Amino acid sequence: QVQLVESGGGLVQPGESLRLSCAASGFKLDYYAVGWFRQIPGKEREGVACISNSDGNSYYADSVQGRFTISRDLAKNTVYLEVNNLKPEDTAVYYCAAHFLIGGRCAISRADYASWGQGTQVTVSS
């Protein structure tokens, strides 16, 4: 059974950091792209970053460039999103998603992704 499980969210103050994890089971991430998305209630789910596990190439949305870092540990079948210098506007439920990809670059388009996790809440507040 294909499953993605996010963890690492929480309540933090502005300027602090978190590391979100996306653990995969039922399949190997080696030939998949993994994307991180976030959603605020009442708004569209937006992509923030993705990584192509076959070659390690990554892509970031302009809104998080320089603050968020996506990485992978294929031995642990896990992708991470390091979120630094958090701002109140980063408050959202963060989801990871995966789709098969060999070669080419990943993209943060929701329609590309077939498998989704259940999400982890990140709240940034003083």
Side-chain angles (χ1 to χ4, degrees), residues 89-100:
E89 54 263 41
D90 294 318
T91 296
V93 178
Y94 284 71
Y95 299 89
C96 67
H99 73 88
F100 189 76

Side-chain angles (χ1 to χ4, degrees), residues 8 19 24 30 32 38-39 54 57 62 66 69 73 83 89 113:
R19 189 176 77 158
D30 301 52
Y32 282 74
R38 64 186 181 184
Q39 188 168 22
S54 60
N57 285 319
D62 290 343
T69 302
D73 184 337
V83 294
E89 54 263 41
Y113 292 82

Side-chain angles (χ1 to χ4, degrees), residues 34 48-53 55-61 65 68-72 104-108:
V34 173
V48 296
C50 65
I51 188 166
S52 300
N53 285 319
D55 58 17
N57 285 319
S58 59
Y59 176 83
Y60 298 90
Q65 182 76 42
F68 289 12
T69 302
I70 192 169
S71 63
R72 73 206 199 279
R105 301 189 69 86
C106 66
I108 47 175

